[in-house]
Structure formats: structure tokens, C-alpha cells
Amino acid sequence: MKEPLIALTFDDGPHPEYTIQLLDVLDSYNVKATFFLVGNLMEKYPDIVKQIVARGHAIGNHTYSHPPNMELETHASVITELDRTDAVIKKITGMKTDLFRPPKGLVDGNLLSIAEQKGFKTILWTVCADNREAPTPELMAKRVTDRISPGAIILAHDGRYKSRWKDVAATPIIIERLIIAGYHFVTVPELIAAGQIQDKGIGK
């Protein structure tokens, strides 16, 4: 019987306050996560990117400038967004990632095709903690735990808005409840390697 694995992911960082707080929370539970990072913010906070990697977490490409809708970008613009972020990651960490997550999860066949041609796996999610119907950290955690199953990918956020303190506060609640429920947290690459990633991985 396979161990029920799930992946916790964070979008839109790095952020000088929220990302650091989340790294400390994750360390306290010995949980490894996957951070989908924005290129121009990585250039601004390279030391935080190095911390993410040094603490054993995975990183993914979340575009260079976080366009509002990647589906509307030109072919050349999509390639630029991916390539610039790829170059920033390599410059800061010496590593290359094959994970890509489009901002807001907005993706069409053309974008998927470009990402695949560039060697990326497009990773979306099963459940997002942030939702209008979940205005508090407690309700955010409940939203996640009510919708979870083995192979699920959880989306939370560590950047762009001041409200991300809620994601920080919700994270230990999510972790504790799912550990009690028998789940084991892994990075997205580990989830893929274990063959447990949910194919449907899409949601708001």
C-alpha cells in the first residue's frame, strides 16, 4: 500500500517577510515544500532564494514578471518570461528547474506546448487555500483539509499582497491536521517521482 503523499506549494515569492516566516514554519515541522518564484523578485531577494534551496525545498518557474494572463501573451513573450526566470534561477542557485506554474493557473494548449518544448512540466493544483469563502486562516485550513486526497497539490501564497499573513497562519494548521490524518508532505518532484500526482491538479 502506497503512503498517502501530498505536496504543499507556494506562489508569487520570494517575499522578505512572508517567505522567511513560512520557511521557519516548515522547518519546525520538518516539512519540505515547493516554491514557484517570480523572476524579478528573485533578482531583488536572491538571499531568500538561496535560503529556500538550502533548507531543502524545491523551486519552480512562475514567470519573470507575473503577467495577468499568460494566455494572452505572444509566443515570443512567453518564451522570454520562461527563459529570463530560468536564467535568474541558474544564476542564483546554479540549478535548473523543470517545473512551471502559470500565474493564476491560466493556461491553454499553446502555452502548454511552449512550456513542454522548453522542457517544463506545467504544474497546477488540486486545492487553493485562498478563497473568498475562506476569509480567515482557520477557514483556509478547513477548505484545504476538506478537499484533500492522496496525490493532491495544495496551493498557498507567500507574496504580492499584504493579506498573505493569513497563508502563513494557515500553514501550521494545515500541516498539523493532515499529518494527523496520515498524510506525508513531499516536494512536487518527489510526488511526480512517486507516481502519485493527481492528473486533475487544477482548481481555484
Side-chain angles (χ1 to χ4, degrees):
M1 182 177 177
K2 289 185 177 180
E3 187 176 14
L5 305 179
I6 50 177
L8 182 57
T9 69
F10 298 95
D11 281 10
D12 301 346
H15 187 278
E17 182 179 356
Y18 304 131
T19 305
I20 296 299
Q21 291 175 358
L22 281 166
L23 288 174
D24 290 342
V25 169
L26 295 168
D27 277 356
S28 69
Y29 291 97
N30 195 28
V31 164
K32 304 305 178 188
T34 303
F35 289 80
F36 288 88
L37 304 172
V38 179
N40 58 17
L41 294 177
M42 285 191 281
E43 289 179 332
K44 192 174 182 179
Y45 305 111
D47 289 344
I48 299 178
V49 180
K50 292 176 182 178
Q51 275 202 55
I52 292 171
V53 174
R55 298 197 196 192
H57 305 287
I59 58 177
N61 187 319
H62 197 45
T63 72
Y64 183 80
S65 65
H66 201 280
N69 188 344
M70 284 287 284
E71 294 175 334
L72 302 179
E73 297 292 316
T74 66
H75 186 97
S77 177
V78 170
I79 290 176
T80 297
E81 288 284 339
L82 293 171
D83 284 352
R84 289 188 74 181
T85 309
D86 204 29
V88 172
I89 291 172
K90 187 173 182 179
K91 180 179 179 181
I92 295 173
T93 69
M95 299 166 52
K96 178 175 175 57
T97 180
D98 65 352
L99 306 179
F100 165 62
R101 177 175 283 166
K104 303 178 184 177
L106 297 175
V107 62
D108 59 13
N110 183 54
L111 180 55
L112 284 172
S113 178
I114 296 172
E116 184 176 0
Q117 290 171 14
K118 300 295 293 184
F120 289 103
K121 299 180 181 74
T122 298
I123 306 297
L124 299 178
W125 59 89
T126 311
V127 57
C128 180
D130 297 283
N131 189 276
R132 292 179 182 178
E133 298 178 359
T136 67
E138 174 66 32
L139 289 174
M140 291 167 69
K142 185 177 187 302
R143 174 178 170 77
V144 170
T145 56
D146 283 352
R147 292 166 171 79
I148 213 72
S149 59
I153 297 175
I154 302 165
L155 167 61
H157 294 82
D158 63 334
R160 284 172 56 81
Y161 300 110
K162 293 181 179 179
S163 61
R164 298 316 185 198
W165 69 266
K166 295 180 183 180
D167 296 72
V168 176
T171 296
I173 306 173
I174 292 169
I175 291 173
E176 289 178 9
R177 290 181 181 175
L178 292 179
I179 288 176
I180 290 172
Y183 288 98
H184 180 65
F185 289 90
V186 295
T187 64
V188 169
E190 289 172 332
L191 193 64
I192 294 171
Q196 290 200 42
I197 192 168
Q198 288 184 3
D199 291 335
K200 62 184 180 181
I202 303 173
K204 293 285 185 179

